[in-house]
Amino acid sequence: MHWLWAIIVGLILGVIARILIPGKQQIPLWLTIVLGMIGSLLGNWAASGLGVAETKGVDWTRHLLQLAGAVVVVAIGDRLWVGMRGRRHGEV
């Protein structure tokens, strides 16, 4: 069941990241989910490094770090996707 939870969190974080990033992103939904999952892992890693991975109550700091990670990863992933798709179709 952990994989299902990871997919759901990746979807939620990826979609929120796409909303927060200005402009239109051209990545497909499946890539949004994958990048959201990677952003979540990046945020968890940062929270562990800062010592805020486990707190009493809701881990707001960890959740914000996960969202920040998703925004960064989705923004980079979108640029890479556009660059790869443009070269493949003869556009640059």
Side-chain angles (χ1 to χ4, degrees), residues 17-18 35 63 66 73 75 81 84 92:
R18 286 181 69 159
L35 295 175
H63 296 319
Q66 288 174 332
V73 172
W81 179 263
M84 287 180 5
V92 177

Side-chain angles (χ1 to χ4, degrees), residues 1 3 7 9-10 12-15 27 29 38-40 42 50 53 55 59 65-66 68 73 80 82 84-85 91:
M1 268 318 206
W3 61 269
I7 292 171
V9 168
I12 292 169
L13 286 174
V15 168
I27 56 175
L29 183 60
I38 293 170
S40 174
L42 184 63
L50 294 172
T55 60
D59 296 330
L65 288 170
Q66 288 174 332
V73 172
L80 291 173
V82 169
M84 287 180 5
R85 299 292 289 185
E91 305 166 10

Side-chain angles (χ1 to χ4, degrees), residues 11 16-17 22 27-28 31 34 37 39 41 52 57 61 64 70 88:
L11 172 64
I16 293 173
I27 56 175
L31 189 55
V34 171
M37 291 167 64
L41 292 173
V52 294
T61 305
L64 288 174
R88 188 177 314 161

Side-chain angles (χ1 to χ4, degrees), residues 16-25 71 75 78-79:
I16 293 173
R18 286 181 69 159
I19 291 169
L20 293 176
I21 297 170
K24 183 179 184 319
Q25 290 75 46
V71 168
D78 181 59
R79 292 294 99 211

